[in-house]
Amino acid sequence: MDFDLFVIGGGSGGVRAARISAGHGARVGVAEARFWGGTCVNVGCVPKKFMVMAAEYGGAADDARGFGWDIAKGGHDWAALIAAKDKEISRLNGIYRRLLDNAGAKIFDARATFIDAHTLDVGGERITAERILIATGGHPTGLEIPGAEHAVVSDDIFALPEMPRRVAVVGSGYIAVEFAGVFAGLGAETHLIYRQPLPLRGFDADLRAGLAEALEQSGVRQHPGTLPVAITAEGGAKQVQLSDGSVIEVDLVFFATGRAPNTRGLNLGAAGVQTGPKGEIPIGTDFATNVAHIYALGDVTDQVNLTPVATAQGHALADSLFGNKPRGVSLANVPSAVFSIPPIASVGITEDQAPAGAKIFVSKFTPMRHTISGRARKTLMKLIVDADTDKLLGAHMLGEDAPEIMQGLAVAIIAGATKADFDRTIGIHPTAAEEFVTMRTQTRVAGALAAAE
Ligand code: FAD
């Protein structure tokens, strides 16, 4: 065999697995068809966060006036933002490639497909490997409606030549609400069209309601309970026909309606690897597919589609195979954030998922900054506590710095902290975060809201 491990996909999970395996002394090859670093670095987390930051600066300029600054916001230069973002991303591409090179992995800038269970076609070259890892990630999917060709998906959004003045974002998952915040923050007339009554299905209900309110306050025009049924284009403008009979005219229609695993075109059949209904690859706790020496991890498995999950899995697989440290990765209590404006962050279960009788603590307040900035914006915090064990089951926040705060709370929850531990922790004053250790009065018990309805 040419390699001990061949990794298909140079994204978050694949790069980590290849690098650590090579570090353990394995002979590793890795193929990347498009861009080193994968989705997160090129068309995901990283460029997305730069864009959110750009939008936040506009809001900060407005808020500064309340603090005495004589600031005129002026205009935003979209091309300058894209150029700055591209420069940083090409630096990161280089870093990812170098990391692999330095670790001793053999790099292939090519697409890989299966010939049989131990043989791959890598850009026309025939390569054999003892073990193969599929870390091919996913791709954005749009809606199949008449005129869908006039819409773009998230892969396109990072390279738009100019800033659209009017945008319709379709969907209400995290990518949809994040980009609604970006476009509204950069000054576009922004519509958010979604099927659910509230955005962010699956998140805690109070956060969803709070976010809908915050989006409204930032000028995002929401169309809940609505679907686009057709798109027509005339000149640069697009008319989006909605299921409620109305029509909106915009310059850009952005389908943020979901993602699907990248398994088509891999010729998985030749290796006997099975896929599920969405094309995802089911795996065991050891990351093995139904074929014992072929592994899969990250978004292609469609479990918890986040970069830190893919990298943790890649690391665990490398340690298990070549580092003499076999281990899996727990997907319980994975913290996550939504970089909406303001952001959301959560760890653990939601109030809807809480066992009946669990103690619910909620706090909603105007953060200190906005008592002076004049901006109407609330921060919302919630703790969910087991009534029997006093252990924290969930923590949720909508408000500035929520993702930064939640990372620490996630450690506490993973470590099994109780509400009494939170109560005896001294706050850091003056912060919003101190509210999490000073919530003394129980708001309700889980199930009370549903019972009252
Ligand atoms: P990927 O990073 O997608 O890497 C897969 C790689 O495989 C790709 O580079 C692809 O080109 C390559 N490939 C595919 N097929 C082949 C083949 N046959 N041969 C060779 N190469 C191939 N996650 C977060 O944690 N935080 C965030 O804030 C966040 N924001 C996001 C924003 C957006 C807009 C998007 C789309 C995603 C975001 N994510 C975020 C999710 C995150 O990007 C993914 O969870 C992560 O990239 C998954 O890593 P992966 O290794 O499984 O796949």
Side-chain angles (χ1 to χ4, degrees):
M1 299 281 177
D2 300 320
F3 294 102
D4 298 322
L5 175 72
F6 197 91
V7 180
I8 311 178
S12 309
V15 166
R16 180 64 69 90
R19 181 168 68 82
I20 304 298
S21 297
H24 286 316
R27 293 173 306 143
V28 178
V30 50
E32 170 52 51
R34 204 170 161 208
F35 31 39
W36 291 97
T39 304
C40 182
V41 170
N42 296 278
V43 287
C45 339
V46 176
K48 180 269 304 281
K49 191 140 181 208
F50 284 136
M51 288 174 146
V52 171
M53 287 169 171
E56 282 173 341
Y57 275 111
D62 290 335
D63 293 350
R65 283 190 216 114
F67 291 84
W69 285 98
D70 175 17
I71 285 183
K73 194 154 78 179
H76 178 262
D77 183 345
W78 173 265
L81 169 64
I82 298 299
K85 178 238 353 148
D86 287 346
K87 189 170 166 217
E88 173 57 11
I89 282 165
S90 69
R91 190 183 74 87
L92 292 174
N93 288 148
I95 288 179
Y96 272 87
R97 228 174 167 284
R98 250 193 328 278
L99 279 175
L100 288 167
D101 221 15
N102 292 346
K106 182 155 188 217
I107 291 172
F108 295 83
D109 292 289
R111 176 164 295 281
T113 52
F114 280 92
I115 295 173
D116 64 40
H118 280 289
T119 317
L120 296 165
D121 175 314
V122 184
E125 202 176 324
R126 207 180 156 89
I127 278 171
T128 54
E130 198 78 53
R131 298 181 176 92
I132 295 169
L133 169 62
I134 305 167
T136 49
H139 62 274
T141 53
L143 296 180
E144 286 176 20
I145 57 169
E149 68 276 11
H150 302 304
V152 301
V153 291
S154 63
D155 277 6
D156 310 310
I157 219 83
F158 300 104
L160 292 176
E162 58 191 44
M163 160 81 184
R165 302 318 317 168
R166 300 165 300 175
V167 183
V169 181
V170 182
S172 70
Y174 77 92
I175 295 172
V177 299
E178 288 173 343
F179 276 95
V182 167
F183 286 120
L186 294 179
E189 174 190 310
T190 306
H191 298 262
L192 186 63
I193 301 159
Y194 53 96
R195 198 168 32 175
Q196 303 295 323
L198 288 170
L200 281 185
R201 191 155 62 100
F203 280 77
D204 187 86
D206 277 340
L207 295 189
R208 297 177 68 191
L211 179 66
E213 202 179 297
L215 288 169
E216 199 69 43
Q217 281 159 352
S218 17
V220 174
R221 302 184 195 177
Q222 294 174 84
H223 305 265
T226 310
L227 281 171
V229 290
I231 306 169
T232 51
E234 235 178 71
K238 276 110 193 156
Q239 288 79 31
V240 188
Q241 202 182 310
L242 302 181
S243 53
D244 63 6
S246 62
V247 177
I248 53 176
E249 187 174 278
V250 292
D251 306 308
L252 181 83
V253 185
F254 173 16
F255 282 162
T257 43
R259 293 179 64 78
N262 284 334
T263 44
R264 262 190 308 182
L266 278 174
N267 199 22
L268 287 178
V273 175
Q274 282 162 7
T275 54
K278 277 183 72 183
E280 78 281 11
I281 303 181
I283 51 167
T285 50
D286 59 353
F287 313 107
T289 65
N290 64 301
V291 179
H293 69 275
I294 301 182
Y295 302 86
L297 50 77
D299 283 12
V300 76
T301 63
D302 198 27
Q303 292 176 320
V304 178
N305 297 334
L306 294 171
T307 275
V309 172
T311 49
Q313 291 181 323
H315 208 127
L317 178 68
D319 283 352
S320 303
L321 294 180
F322 306 111
N324 231 347
K325 266 188 282 172
R327 62 194 167 90
V329 170
S330 168
L331 298 180
N333 292 325
V334 172
S336 69
V338 179
F339 296 94
S340 43
I341 301 176
I344 276 179
S346 285
V347 58
I349 60 172
T350 64
E351 184 170 347
D352 287 346
Q353 295 165 335
K359 297 177 189 172
I360 309 293
F361 297 79
V362 182
S363 179
K364 193 173 180 182
F365 56 94
T366 300
M368 191 173 169
R369 180 184 305 281
H370 299 308
T371 58
I372 285 196
S373 75
R375 183 180 293 279
R377 183 177 285 174
K378 295 280 187 202
T379 287
L380 194 143
M381 291 176 173
K382 178 184 277 191
L383 291 177
I384 300 168
V385 179
D386 190 283
D388 300 326
T389 63
D390 196 41
K391 281 196 176 165
L392 261 290
L393 302 175
H396 305 274
M397 177 172 173
L398 163 76
E400 283 145 23
D401 302 320
E404 304 292 342
I405 294 169
M406 201 55 63
Q407 185 69 77
L409 293 196
V411 176
I413 289 187
I414 296 270
T418 60
K419 181 65 169 59
D421 292 326
F422 273 57
D423 291 346
R424 69 193 170 89
T425 302
I426 307 287
I428 298 174
H429 186 73
T431 63
E434 68 180 314
E435 189 67 17
F436 271 124
V437 294
T438 51
M439 288 193 199
R440 297 278 185 262
T441 315
Q442 186 180 321
T443 310
R444 55 182 175 260
V445 291
L449 284 183
E453 270 169 15

